[in-house]
Amino acid sequence: MEVINWSTPAAILEKIIAYEAVHEIKGWDDLRLRVAEKDRRLYGFFHASMRSEPLIFVEVALTDHTPTTIESILSGERERLDPNEATTAVFYSISNCQAGLRGISFGNFLIKQVVEELKRELPNLKRFITMSPVPGLRKWVDTAPELDENTTTLIHALNEQDRDMSEEFKNQNSTQLNRLAIQYLLDAKHKKGGPFDPVSRFHLGNGAHLEQINLWANSSEKGIADSWGIMVNYEYDLKSIEKNHEAFLSEGKIKSSTTIKKLHKKH
């Protein structure tokens, strides 16, 4: 594992721009916001035989709160934070770089190493969470065998909207959309077992728990196309990672926050 920063060779930085698979890096100025700012970190996983080719990399934002939109992390207009005042490390993008190695869970090793590195550098950090996309939601909706009338009406309304949804529309549809997201994340299953959503399978399989659902969190074209802008915080609670990992693998249990459990039970 190596820290990638503004001093990293340009050939590697160019590959970071090219390989970013979650939130497009729009040139060198955009890359600078992710690797040169004092409250941002980028870590790459390399193999000794491929020193100039990252296998996978993870981008981290250091904050003093749990973010609810990706724009608040990526914006160049945001307020910078002294890393020593940060309480939360946010993993907001994980990109596999080598097509031939897809399916090999390097991310598992990388996340654990990054957590250990951050704890050493910044002992004030208390929480390790993600700001994750929900890439399978709209795909699942298109194939779900039975959706109730209210959900069908909601989906039709969402599909009629463009990226600039009005606040009135959001307020009118937030409760129903949150219900759909909870149903998808906790109940929808893949035909091979486990959650339907690939990002959910990855983080839950690594021992994280589902902490928070964020509606209207990603207004990018990709964010709307994947999940109508929904994003999720998964939390890596260091005291329960191994227990969550074992429960997920052996029993298929999805660990979630008290708030999400209550909403799931209610609906």
PDB file of all heavy atoms in Angstrom, residues 18-48:
ATOM      1  N   ALA A  18      -7.567   8.081 -15.069  1.00  0.00           N
ATOM      2  CA  ALA A  18      -8.172   7.178 -16.058  1.00  0.00           C
ATOM      3  C   ALA A  18      -8.974   6.054 -15.411  1.00  0.00           C
ATOM      4  O   ALA A  18     -10.026   5.654 -15.927  1.00  0.00           O
ATOM      5  CB  ALA A  18      -7.082   6.587 -16.948  1.00  0.00           C
ATOM      6  N   TYR A  19      -8.485   5.529 -14.270  1.00  0.00           N
ATOM      7  CA  TYR A  19      -9.107   4.350 -13.666  1.00  0.00           C
ATOM      8  C   TYR A  19     -10.247   4.680 -12.704  1.00  0.00           C
ATOM      9  O   TYR A  19     -10.986   3.775 -12.308  1.00  0.00           O
ATOM     10  CB  TYR A  19      -8.049   3.537 -12.897  1.00  0.00           C
ATOM     11  CG  TYR A  19      -7.053   2.800 -13.765  1.00  0.00           C
ATOM     12  CD1 TYR A  19      -5.714   2.700 -13.371  1.00  0.00           C
ATOM     13  CD2 TYR A  19      -7.431   2.208 -14.959  1.00  0.00           C
ATOM     14  CE1 TYR A  19      -4.779   2.016 -14.140  1.00  0.00           C
ATOM     15  CE2 TYR A  19      -6.511   1.529 -15.741  1.00  0.00           C
ATOM     16  CZ  TYR A  19      -5.194   1.430 -15.329  1.00  0.00           C
ATOM     17  OH  TYR A  19      -4.279   0.759 -16.101  1.00  0.00           O
ATOM     18  N   GLU A  20     -10.383   5.941 -12.278  1.00  0.00           N
ATOM     19  CA  GLU A  20     -11.463   6.290 -11.350  1.00  0.00           C
ATOM     20  C   GLU A  20     -12.803   5.829 -11.915  1.00  0.00           C
ATOM     21  O   GLU A  20     -13.219   6.237 -12.995  1.00  0.00           O
ATOM     22  CB  GLU A  20     -11.478   7.797 -11.114  1.00  0.00           C
ATOM     23  CG  GLU A  20     -12.736   8.322 -10.451  1.00  0.00           C
ATOM     24  CD  GLU A  20     -12.996   7.716  -9.089  1.00  0.00           C
ATOM     25  OE1 GLU A  20     -12.161   7.860  -8.192  1.00  0.00           O
ATOM     26  OE2 GLU A  20     -14.071   7.090  -8.940  1.00  0.00           O
ATOM     27  N   ALA A  21     -13.477   4.949 -11.159  1.00  0.00           N
ATOM     28  CA  ALA A  21     -14.676   4.295 -11.688  1.00  0.00           C
ATOM     29  C   ALA A  21     -15.964   4.738 -11.015  1.00  0.00           C
ATOM     30  O   ALA A  21     -17.048   4.371 -11.458  1.00  0.00           O
ATOM     31  CB  ALA A  21     -14.530   2.773 -11.541  1.00  0.00           C
ATOM     32  N   VAL A  22     -15.873   5.512  -9.952  1.00  0.00           N
ATOM     33  CA  VAL A  22     -17.070   5.861  -9.181  1.00  0.00           C
ATOM     34  C   VAL A  22     -17.471   7.315  -9.407  1.00  0.00           C
ATOM     35  O   VAL A  22     -18.609   7.614  -9.748  1.00  0.00           O
ATOM     36  CB  VAL A  22     -16.851   5.583  -7.676  1.00  0.00           C
ATOM     37  CG1 VAL A  22     -18.147   5.831  -6.903  1.00  0.00           C
ATOM     38  CG2 VAL A  22     -16.349   4.168  -7.452  1.00  0.00           C
ATOM     39  N   HIS A  23     -16.521   8.227  -9.202  1.00  0.00           N
ATOM     40  CA  HIS A  23     -16.781   9.657  -9.387  1.00  0.00           C
ATOM     41  C   HIS A  23     -15.707  10.222 -10.310  1.00  0.00           C
ATOM     42  O   HIS A  23     -14.549  10.378  -9.912  1.00  0.00           O
ATOM     43  CB  HIS A  23     -16.768  10.387  -8.042  1.00  0.00           C
ATOM     44  CG  HIS A  23     -17.730   9.821  -7.044  1.00  0.00           C
ATOM     45  ND1 HIS A  23     -19.098   9.889  -7.210  1.00  0.00           N
ATOM     46  CD2 HIS A  23     -17.513   9.151  -5.881  1.00  0.00           C
ATOM     47  CE1 HIS A  23     -19.680   9.286  -6.186  1.00  0.00           C
ATOM     48  NE2 HIS A  23     -18.745   8.835  -5.374  1.00  0.00           N
ATOM     49  N   GLU A  24     -16.074  10.500 -11.527  1.00  0.00           N
ATOM     50  CA  GLU A  24     -15.131  10.929 -12.560  1.00  0.00           C
ATOM     51  C   GLU A  24     -14.216  12.047 -12.082  1.00  0.00           C
ATOM     52  O   GLU A  24     -14.653  13.002 -11.419  1.00  0.00           O
ATOM     53  CB  GLU A  24     -15.911  11.411 -13.788  1.00  0.00           C
ATOM     54  CG  GLU A  24     -15.037  11.880 -14.933  1.00  0.00           C
ATOM     55  CD  GLU A  24     -15.831  12.497 -16.058  1.00  0.00           C
ATOM     56  OE1 GLU A  24     -17.060  12.630 -15.922  1.00  0.00           O
ATOM     57  OE2 GLU A  24     -15.206  12.873 -17.078  1.00  0.00           O
ATOM     58  N   ILE A  25     -12.925  11.914 -12.396  1.00  0.00           N
ATOM     59  CA  ILE A  25     -11.955  12.977 -12.128  1.00  0.00           C
ATOM     60  C   ILE A  25     -11.805  13.781 -13.417  1.00  0.00           C
ATOM     61  O   ILE A  25     -11.327  13.267 -14.433  1.00  0.00           O
ATOM     62  CB  ILE A  25     -10.600  12.404 -11.679  1.00  0.00           C
ATOM     63  CG1 ILE A  25     -10.772  11.606 -10.383  1.00  0.00           C
ATOM     64  CG2 ILE A  25      -9.586  13.533 -11.471  1.00  0.00           C
ATOM     65  CD1 ILE A  25      -9.507  10.898  -9.919  1.00  0.00           C
ATOM     66  N   LYS A  26     -12.196  15.050 -13.363  1.00  0.00           N
ATOM     67  CA  LYS A  26     -12.252  15.870 -14.574  1.00  0.00           C
ATOM     68  C   LYS A  26     -10.976  16.680 -14.749  1.00  0.00           C
ATOM     69  O   LYS A  26     -10.984  17.903 -14.706  1.00  0.00           O
ATOM     70  CB  LYS A  26     -13.474  16.777 -14.509  1.00  0.00           C
ATOM     71  CG  LYS A  26     -14.775  15.992 -14.412  1.00  0.00           C
ATOM     72  CD  LYS A  26     -15.956  16.887 -14.113  1.00  0.00           C
ATOM     73  CE  LYS A  26     -17.222  16.072 -13.949  1.00  0.00           C
ATOM     74  NZ  LYS A  26     -18.384  16.890 -13.538  1.00  0.00           N
ATOM     75  N   GLY A  27      -9.858  15.983 -14.896  1.00  0.00           N
ATOM     76  CA  GLY A  27      -8.600  16.655 -15.163  1.00  0.00           C
ATOM     77  C   GLY A  27      -7.758  16.895 -13.921  1.00  0.00           C
ATOM     78  O   GLY A  27      -8.089  16.470 -12.818  1.00  0.00           O
ATOM     79  N   TRP A  28      -6.644  17.604 -14.121  1.00  0.00           N
ATOM     80  CA  TRP A  28      -5.637  17.764 -13.076  1.00  0.00           C
ATOM     81  C   TRP A  28      -6.124  18.618 -11.908  1.00  0.00           C
ATOM     82  O   TRP A  28      -5.786  18.353 -10.754  1.00  0.00           O
ATOM     83  CB  TRP A  28      -4.365  18.352 -13.679  1.00  0.00           C
ATOM     84  CG  TRP A  28      -3.672  17.371 -14.559  1.00  0.00           C
ATOM     85  CD1 TRP A  28      -3.754  17.284 -15.919  1.00  0.00           C
ATOM     86  CD2 TRP A  28      -2.806  16.308 -14.145  1.00  0.00           C
ATOM     87  NE1 TRP A  28      -3.002  16.231 -16.379  1.00  0.00           N
ATOM     88  CE2 TRP A  28      -2.397  15.618 -15.323  1.00  0.00           C
ATOM     89  CE3 TRP A  28      -2.333  15.875 -12.914  1.00  0.00           C
ATOM     90  CZ2 TRP A  28      -1.549  14.524 -15.282  1.00  0.00           C
ATOM     91  CZ3 TRP A  28      -1.474  14.779 -12.876  1.00  0.00           C
ATOM     92  CH2 TRP A  28      -1.093  14.122 -14.050  1.00  0.00           C
ATOM     93  N   ASP A  29      -6.894  19.652 -12.183  1.00  0.00           N
ATOM     94  CA  ASP A  29      -7.400  20.488 -11.089  1.00  0.00           C
ATOM     95  C   ASP A  29      -8.309  19.687 -10.164  1.00  0.00           C
ATOM     96  O   ASP A  29      -8.266  19.844  -8.939  1.00  0.00           O
ATOM     97  CB  ASP A  29      -8.157  21.697 -11.649  1.00  0.00           C
ATOM     98  CG  ASP A  29      -7.225  22.719 -12.288  1.00  0.00           C
ATOM     99  OD1 ASP A  29      -6.011  22.666 -11.995  1.00  0.00           O
ATOM    100  OD2 ASP A  29      -7.706  23.549 -13.077  1.00  0.00           O
ATOM    101  N   ASP A  30      -9.129  18.834 -10.756  1.00  0.00           N
ATOM    102  CA  ASP A  30     -10.023  17.987  -9.968  1.00  0.00           C
ATOM    103  C   ASP A  30      -9.217  16.970  -9.165  1.00  0.00           C
ATOM    104  O   ASP A  30      -9.495  16.704  -7.987  1.00  0.00           O
ATOM    105  CB  ASP A  30     -11.007  17.277 -10.908  1.00  0.00           C
ATOM    106  CG  ASP A  30     -12.224  16.730 -10.180  1.00  0.00           C
ATOM    107  OD1 ASP A  30     -12.386  17.025  -8.980  1.00  0.00           O
ATOM    108  OD2 ASP A  30     -13.007  15.997 -10.805  1.00  0.00           O
ATOM    109  N   LEU A  31      -8.183  16.402  -9.785  1.00  0.00           N
ATOM    110  CA  LEU A  31      -7.330  15.448  -9.079  1.00  0.00           C
ATOM    111  C   LEU A  31      -6.638  16.117  -7.881  1.00  0.00           C
ATOM    112  O   LEU A  31      -6.509  15.522  -6.812  1.00  0.00           O
ATOM    113  CB  LEU A  31      -6.278  14.874 -10.023  1.00  0.00           C
ATOM    114  CG  LEU A  31      -5.294  13.880  -9.387  1.00  0.00           C
ATOM    115  CD1 LEU A  31      -6.007  12.615  -8.945  1.00  0.00           C
ATOM    116  CD2 LEU A  31      -4.165  13.538 -10.358  1.00  0.00           C
ATOM    117  N   ARG A  32      -6.191  17.362  -8.071  1.00  0.00           N
ATOM    118  CA  ARG A  32      -5.521  18.074  -6.982  1.00  0.00           C
ATOM    119  C   ARG A  32      -6.412  18.155  -5.740  1.00  0.00           C
ATOM    120  O   ARG A  32      -5.930  18.041  -4.604  1.00  0.00           O
ATOM    121  CB  ARG A  32      -5.142  19.483  -7.440  1.00  0.00           C
ATOM    122  CG  ARG A  32      -4.411  20.292  -6.364  1.00  0.00           C
ATOM    123  CD  ARG A  32      -4.241  21.734  -6.827  1.00  0.00           C
ATOM    124  NE  ARG A  32      -3.208  21.858  -7.825  1.00  0.00           N
ATOM    125  CZ  ARG A  32      -1.919  22.057  -7.544  1.00  0.00           C
ATOM    126  NH1 ARG A  32      -1.520  22.133  -6.285  1.00  0.00           N
ATOM    127  NH2 ARG A  32      -1.043  22.175  -8.518  1.00  0.00           N
ATOM    128  N   LEU A  33      -7.712  18.345  -5.933  1.00  0.00           N
ATOM    129  CA  LEU A  33      -8.642  18.413  -4.801  1.00  0.00           C
ATOM    130  C   LEU A  33      -8.676  17.105  -4.011  1.00  0.00           C
ATOM    131  O   LEU A  33      -9.015  17.105  -2.824  1.00  0.00           O
ATOM    132  CB  LEU A  33     -10.054  18.740  -5.301  1.00  0.00           C
ATOM    133  CG  LEU A  33     -10.273  20.119  -5.917  1.00  0.00           C
ATOM    134  CD1 LEU A  33     -11.673  20.221  -6.500  1.00  0.00           C
ATOM    135  CD2 LEU A  33     -10.039  21.210  -4.884  1.00  0.00           C
ATOM    136  N   ARG A  34      -8.322  16.012  -4.661  1.00  0.00           N
ATOM    137  CA  ARG A  34      -8.418  14.704  -4.016  1.00  0.00           C
ATOM    138  C   ARG A  34      -7.101  14.209  -3.430  1.00  0.00           C
ATOM    139  O   ARG A  34      -7.120  13.368  -2.525  1.00  0.00           O
ATOM    140  CB  ARG A  34      -8.948  13.669  -5.015  1.00  0.00           C
ATOM    141  CG  ARG A  34     -10.255  14.087  -5.670  1.00  0.00           C
ATOM    142  CD  ARG A  34     -10.944  12.938  -6.351  1.00  0.00           C
ATOM    143  NE  ARG A  34     -11.992  13.397  -7.251  1.00  0.00           N
ATOM    144  CZ  ARG A  34     -12.891  12.600  -7.802  1.00  0.00           C
ATOM    145  NH1 ARG A  34     -12.883  11.294  -7.554  1.00  0.00           N
ATOM    146  NH2 ARG A  34     -13.809  13.084  -8.626  1.00  0.00           N
ATOM    147  N   VAL A  35      -5.972  14.716  -3.920  1.00  0.00           N
ATOM    148  CA  VAL A  35      -4.686  14.189  -3.446  1.00  0.00           C
ATOM    149  C   VAL A  35      -3.783  15.236  -2.805  1.00  0.00           C
ATOM    150  O   VAL A  35      -2.810  14.878  -2.144  1.00  0.00           O
ATOM    151  CB  VAL A  35      -3.911  13.473  -4.575  1.00  0.00           C
ATOM    152  CG1 VAL A  35      -4.721  12.338  -5.165  1.00  0.00           C
ATOM    153  CG2 VAL A  35      -3.475  14.454  -5.657  1.00  0.00           C
ATOM    154  N   ALA A  36      -4.085  16.524  -3.007  1.00  0.00           N
ATOM    155  CA  ALA A  36      -3.178  17.559  -2.502  1.00  0.00           C
ATOM    156  C   ALA A  36      -3.753  18.345  -1.331  1.00  0.00           C
ATOM    157  O   ALA A  36      -3.027  19.125  -0.712  1.00  0.00           O
ATOM    158  CB  ALA A  36      -2.806  18.524  -3.627  1.00  0.00           C
ATOM    159  N   GLU A  37      -5.030  18.173  -1.034  1.00  0.00           N
ATOM    160  CA  GLU A  37      -5.639  18.899   0.080  1.00  0.00           C
ATOM    161  C   GLU A  37      -5.279  18.223   1.397  1.00  0.00           C
ATOM    162  O   GLU A  37      -5.188  16.995   1.486  1.00  0.00           O
ATOM    163  CB  GLU A  37      -7.164  18.941  -0.083  1.00  0.00           C
ATOM    164  CG  GLU A  37      -7.635  19.668  -1.341  1.00  0.00           C
ATOM    165  CD  GLU A  37      -7.515  21.180  -1.224  1.00  0.00           C
ATOM    166  OE1 GLU A  37      -7.162  21.666  -0.140  1.00  0.00           O
ATOM    167  OE2 GLU A  37      -7.774  21.867  -2.222  1.00  0.00           O
ATOM    168  N   LYS A  38      -5.128  19.007   2.461  1.00  0.00           N
ATOM    169  CA  LYS A  38      -4.676  18.473   3.745  1.00  0.00           C
ATOM    170  C   LYS A  38      -5.691  17.535   4.400  1.00  0.00           C
ATOM    171  O   LYS A  38      -5.327  16.698   5.227  1.00  0.00           O
ATOM    172  CB  LYS A  38      -4.348  19.618   4.708  1.00  0.00           C
ATOM    173  CG  LYS A  38      -5.532  20.529   5.017  1.00  0.00           C
ATOM    174  CD  LYS A  38      -5.105  21.715   5.866  1.00  0.00           C
ATOM    175  CE  LYS A  38      -6.281  22.640   6.153  1.00  0.00           C
ATOM    176  NZ  LYS A  38      -5.870  23.801   7.000  1.00  0.00           N
ATOM    177  N   ASP A  39      -6.975  17.664   4.025  1.00  0.00           N
ATOM    178  CA  ASP A  39      -8.006  16.805   4.625  1.00  0.00           C
ATOM    179  C   ASP A  39      -8.495  15.728   3.650  1.00  0.00           C
ATOM    180  O   ASP A  39      -9.614  15.229   3.761  1.00  0.00           O
ATOM    181  CB  ASP A  39      -9.197  17.628   5.133  1.00  0.00           C
ATOM    182  CG  ASP A  39      -9.806  18.515   4.051  1.00  0.00           C
ATOM    183  OD1 ASP A  39      -9.264  18.550   2.922  1.00  0.00           O
ATOM    184  OD2 ASP A  39     -10.820  19.172   4.334  1.00  0.00           O
ATOM    185  N   ARG A  40      -7.639  15.382   2.692  1.00  0.00           N
ATOM    186  CA  ARG A  40      -7.957  14.308   1.750  1.00  0.00           C
ATOM    187  C   ARG A  40      -6.775  13.347   1.669  1.00  0.00           C
ATOM    188  O   ARG A  40      -5.626  13.744   1.796  1.00  0.00           O
ATOM    189  CB  ARG A  40      -8.269  14.861   0.352  1.00  0.00           C
ATOM    190  CG  ARG A  40      -9.528  15.734   0.290  1.00  0.00           C
ATOM    191  CD  ARG A  40     -10.757  14.898   0.532  1.00  0.00           C
ATOM    192  NE  ARG A  40     -12.000  15.658   0.466  1.00  0.00           N
ATOM    193  CZ  ARG A  40     -12.607  16.191   1.516  1.00  0.00           C
ATOM    194  NH1 ARG A  40     -12.061  16.069   2.724  1.00  0.00           N
ATOM    195  NH2 ARG A  40     -13.740  16.832   1.396  1.00  0.00           N
ATOM    196  N   ARG A  41      -7.072  12.061   1.430  1.00  0.00           N
ATOM    197  CA  ARG A  41      -6.039  11.041   1.278  1.00  0.00           C
ATOM    198  C   ARG A  41      -6.427  10.127   0.123  1.00  0.00           C
ATOM    199  O   ARG A  41      -7.620   9.897  -0.136  1.00  0.00           O
ATOM    200  CB  ARG A  41      -5.900  10.188   2.549  1.00  0.00           C
ATOM    201  CG  ARG A  41      -5.532  10.948   3.822  1.00  0.00           C
ATOM    202  CD  ARG A  41      -4.087  11.413   3.800  1.00  0.00           C
ATOM    203  NE  ARG A  41      -3.703  12.016   5.079  1.00  0.00           N
ATOM    204  CZ  ARG A  41      -3.923  13.276   5.409  1.00  0.00           C
ATOM    205  NH1 ARG A  41      -4.535  14.089   4.559  1.00  0.00           N
ATOM    206  NH2 ARG A  41      -3.519  13.744   6.588  1.00  0.00           N
ATOM    207  N   LEU A  42      -5.418   9.583  -0.554  1.00  0.00           N
ATOM    208  CA  LEU A  42      -5.653   8.584  -1.590  1.00  0.00           C
ATOM    209  C   LEU A  42      -4.578   7.514  -1.431  1.00  0.00           C
ATOM    210  O   LEU A  42      -3.392   7.824  -1.400  1.00  0.00           O
ATOM    211  CB  LEU A  42      -5.614   9.217  -2.984  1.00  0.00           C
ATOM    212  CG  LEU A  42      -6.238   8.392  -4.123  1.00  0.00           C
ATOM    213  CD1 LEU A  42      -6.745   9.296  -5.233  1.00  0.00           C
ATOM    214  CD2 LEU A  42      -5.271   7.366  -4.694  1.00  0.00           C
ATOM    215  N   TYR A  43      -5.012   6.255  -1.302  1.00  0.00           N
ATOM    216  CA  TYR A  43      -4.093   5.133  -1.086  1.00  0.00           C
ATOM    217  C   TYR A  43      -4.238   4.141  -2.230  1.00  0.00           C
ATOM    218  O   TYR A  43      -5.349   3.804  -2.642  1.00  0.00           O
ATOM    219  CB  TYR A  43      -4.419   4.415   0.230  1.00  0.00           C
ATOM    220  CG  TYR A  43      -4.311   5.284   1.461  1.00  0.00           C
ATOM    221  CD1 TYR A  43      -5.404   6.013   1.919  1.00  0.00           C
ATOM    222  CD2 TYR A  43      -3.115   5.370   2.179  1.00  0.00           C
ATOM    223  CE1 TYR A  43      -5.315   6.812   3.054  1.00  0.00           C
ATOM    224  CE2 TYR A  43      -3.019   6.157   3.320  1.00  0.00           C
ATOM    225  CZ  TYR A  43      -4.122   6.882   3.749  1.00  0.00           C
ATOM    226  OH  TYR A  43      -4.025   7.663   4.873  1.00  0.00           O
ATOM    227  N   GLY A  44      -3.105   3.677  -2.725  1.00  0.00           N
ATOM    228  CA  GLY A  44      -3.100   2.685  -3.791  1.00  0.00           C
ATOM    229  C   GLY A  44      -2.483   1.378  -3.330  1.00  0.00           C
ATOM    230  O   GLY A  44      -1.606   1.357  -2.461  1.00  0.00           O
ATOM    231  N   PHE A  45      -2.951   0.293  -3.905  1.00  0.00           N
ATOM    232  CA  PHE A  45      -2.427  -1.044  -3.625  1.00  0.00           C
ATOM    233  C   PHE A  45      -1.668  -1.482  -4.860  1.00  0.00           C
ATOM    234  O   PHE A  45      -2.229  -1.531  -5.961  1.00  0.00           O
ATOM    235  CB  PHE A  45      -3.619  -1.974  -3.347  1.00  0.00           C
ATOM    236  CG  PHE A  45      -3.299  -3.146  -2.469  1.00  0.00           C
ATOM    237  CD1 PHE A  45      -2.600  -3.005  -1.288  1.00  0.00           C
ATOM    238  CD2 PHE A  45      -3.741  -4.420  -2.825  1.00  0.00           C
ATOM    239  CE1 PHE A  45      -2.342  -4.099  -0.466  1.00  0.00           C
ATOM    240  CE2 PHE A  45      -3.490  -5.523  -2.020  1.00  0.00           C
ATOM    241  CZ  PHE A  45      -2.788  -5.351  -0.830  1.00  0.00           C
ATOM    242  N   PHE A  46      -0.370  -1.779  -4.704  1.00  0.00           N
ATOM    243  CA  PHE A  46       0.494  -2.133  -5.839  1.00  0.00           C
ATOM    244  C   PHE A  46       1.083  -3.531  -5.641  1.00  0.00           C
ATOM    245  O   PHE A  46       1.175  -4.018  -4.513  1.00  0.00           O
ATOM    246  CB  PHE A  46       1.648  -1.134  -5.963  1.00  0.00           C
ATOM    247  CG  PHE A  46       1.235   0.253  -6.359  1.00  0.00           C
ATOM    248  CD1 PHE A  46       0.746   1.143  -5.411  1.00  0.00           C
ATOM    249  CD2 PHE A  46       1.333   0.678  -7.674  1.00  0.00           C
ATOM    250  CE1 PHE A  46       0.363   2.429  -5.755  1.00  0.00           C
ATOM    251  CE2 PHE A  46       0.958   1.964  -8.031  1.00  0.00           C
ATOM    252  CZ  PHE A  46       0.470   2.840  -7.077  1.00  0.00           C
ATOM    253  N   HIS A  47       1.481  -4.144  -6.753  1.00  0.00           N
ATOM    254  CA  HIS A  47       2.193  -5.411  -6.707  1.00  0.00           C
ATOM    255  C   HIS A  47       3.642  -5.154  -7.131  1.00  0.00           C
ATOM    256  O   HIS A  47       3.909  -4.291  -7.976  1.00  0.00           O
ATOM    257  CB  HIS A  47       1.553  -6.442  -7.639  1.00  0.00           C
ATOM    258  CG  HIS A  47       2.100  -7.833  -7.471  1.00  0.00           C
ATOM    259  ND1 HIS A  47       3.229  -8.262  -8.124  1.00  0.00           N
ATOM    260  CD2 HIS A  47       1.672  -8.866  -6.705  1.00  0.00           C
ATOM    261  CE1 HIS A  47       3.473  -9.518  -7.781  1.00  0.00           C
ATOM    262  NE2 HIS A  47       2.553  -9.901  -6.914  1.00  0.00           N
ATOM    263  N   ALA A  48       4.554  -5.906  -6.535  1.00  0.00           N
ATOM    264  CA  ALA A  48       5.986  -5.684  -6.796  1.00  0.00           C
ATOM    265  C   ALA A  48       6.339  -5.784  -8.280  1.00  0.00           C
ATOM    266  O   ALA A  48       7.277  -5.134  -8.750  1.00  0.00           O
ATOM    267  CB  ALA A  48       6.818  -6.677  -5.994  1.00  0.00           C
TER     268      ALA A  48
END
